[in-house]
Amino acid sequence: MASDLEKAISTIGVIGGGQMGSGIAQLAATAGFSVLLHDSDAAALGRAEGIISASLRRLASKGHISQAVPDEAMKRLKFASSIQELRSADLIIEAIVESEAIKKKIFVELDKILKPSAILASNTSSISITRLASATSRSSQVIGMHFMNPPPIMKLIEIVRGADTSDEVFATIKSLSERMGKIVICSQDYPGFIVNRILMPMINEAFYTLYTGVATKEDIDTGMKLGTNHPMGPLELADFIGLDVCLSILRVLHDGLGDVKYSPCPLLVQYVDAGRLGRKRGIGVYSYQKGSSAAKVKARSSL
């Protein structure tokens, strides 16, 4: 049975019009919530609207959702260029750049304008929920909701409790996540949580394997796909996630856990310094320019 707090959640605000934010907004709207998608960049919001609409229609054409869902979901979705427009939200899900300082700044702003009962959730894949909560006056109402990419497709969600997250807020977010069709796993507030604590060292080791000349990038990825039945090789996956995101998470792991095994591979650092961030930039470990073989790689799973 839904709790009173869960019943009170009818409007969800999503911060960030990028790949993760637009995916989360689509998912929430499809699940029947009114959604306010915020990004300070009006162009980003315009792109998000087009991406969400196309994604919904593609899912309907494949029979994954009914033909009526795209129009219904788009009617529930509003776009907001001003953060002040989120005042009415019952739950905020932040999905911006993986930077503790930037996330805290947003949380401070939201804490001032939201109703006292509103819950603040972060889609962070590695940053301490306890530290994010410390920037607010509602630490018991702050929680981690780590969606996998792309959110409308991937079944998993990783819920992270901060030191002060209340039992009621935890239960509410767990139930709400299941309402969105997700399978929930729960992590304590340790650097990298569950998924990235395990995944990022593998990706880092793949970079070291390439860096030291053990094998080509193609053989590294083929070895992991066919040898361990992974749908994507670790280097392909890093490109899909974003090499800058991988580097940021590894630095959080290294700083938070102090183990040299989390030290980022120099080749990964070099690629990020060069702006080779992966699929979103058209080049990372592989080139995704038109006509390149890697451009044909279809991403099927990630963070």
Side-chain angles (χ1 to χ4, degrees):
M1 184 177 291
S3 68
D4 290 339
L5 184 57
E6 184 185 351
K7 290 175 183 175
I9 296 177
S10 61
T11 300
I12 296 177
V14 179
I15 307 288
Q19 185 177 24
M20 291 302 297
S22 59
I24 293 167
Q26 175 184 326
L27 182 67
T30 303
F33 295 97
S34 295
V35 179
L36 294 165
L37 177 58
H38 165 72
D39 198 296
S40 57
D41 182 354
L45 289 179
R47 289 192 297 271
E49 183 174 9
I51 289 169
I52 292 169
S53 179
S55 175
L56 286 167
R57 298 193 184 287
R58 185 165 56 251
L59 289 171
S61 70
K62 293 181 178 180
H64 297 308
I65 57 177
S66 74
Q67 293 297 321
V69 168
D71 288 339
E72 292 171 355
M74 292 304 294
K75 287 177 184 176
R76 288 191 285 268
L77 183 57
K78 306 297 180 187
F79 299 88
S81 57
S82 170
I83 201 167
Q84 297 291 328
E85 296 176 68
L86 301 179
R87 287 179 177 274
S88 62
D90 305 300
L91 165 66
I92 296 287
I93 303 173
E94 165 273 311
I96 58 173
V97 63
E98 192 72 353
S99 162
E100 183 173 335
I102 295 174
K103 289 180 187 294
K104 277 186 172 179
K105 184 175 181 293
I106 288 288
F107 272 36
V108 168
E109 292 181 55
L110 291 167
D111 192 41
K112 292 175 180 176
I113 68 170
L114 293 174
K115 64 183 77 171
S117 61
I119 297 171
L120 283 170
S122 176
N123 182 55
T124 178
S125 55
S126 64
I127 296 168
S128 168
I129 299 302
T130 301
R131 290 203 301 270
L132 294 180
S134 72
T136 77
S137 63
R138 61 182 82 203
S139 58
S140 65
Q141 294 159 234
V142 178
I143 195 165
M145 294 180 73
H146 178 205
F147 292 82
M148 307 297 124
N149 187 22
I153 303 299
M154 298 294 282
K155 283 291 186 182
L156 186 71
I157 183 168
E158 187 175 36
I159 296 179
V160 185
R161 296 185 68 154
D164 296 326
T165 305
S166 73
D167 290 343
E168 184 181 20
V169 165
F170 170 75
T172 295
I173 294 303
K174 183 175 185 293
S175 179
L176 183 143
S177 299
E178 290 168 346
R179 177 176 164 184
M180 290 184 182
K182 299 303 178 188
I183 295 171
V184 174
I185 60 173
C186 305
S187 174
Q188 296 301 314
D189 193 17
Y190 289 94
F193 316 135
I194 300 169
V195 174
N196 281 324
R197 176 77 174 265
I198 298 168
L199 174 62
M200 285 303 151
M202 182 186 74
I203 286 176
N204 201 38
E205 194 61 29
F207 270 93
Y208 270 114
T209 305
L210 181 62
Y211 180 56
T212 55
V214 173
T216 65
K217 57 183 179 287
E218 293 85 1
D219 281 354
I220 292 166
D221 279 339
T222 299
M224 293 306 291
K225 284 189 287 189
L226 301 185
T228 63
N229 205 28
H230 290 191
M232 296 178 72
L235 298 172
E236 294 174 53
L237 180 55
D239 273 354
F240 183 57
I241 294 165
L243 301 192
D244 54 333
V245 176
C246 294
L247 179 58
S248 175
I249 296 169
L250 280 164
R251 284 173 169 162
V252 168
L253 286 166
H254 190 229
D255 291 346
L257 298 171
D259 194 318
V260 68
K261 71 181 180 182
Y262 300 112
S263 180
C265 176
L267 183 62
L268 172 60
V269 176
Q270 183 184 67
Y271 279 10
V272 173
D273 286 345
R276 296 178 59 160
L277 305 185
R279 293 174 66 89
K280 61 189 174 185
R281 288 288 180 85
I283 187 168
V285 179
Y286 296 91
S287 174
Y288 299 90
Q289 306 300 329
K290 189 175 181 180
S292 69
S293 60
K296 300 175 183 178
V297 174
K298 289 190 70 175
R300 288 181 288 171
S301 67
S302 179
L303 300 191

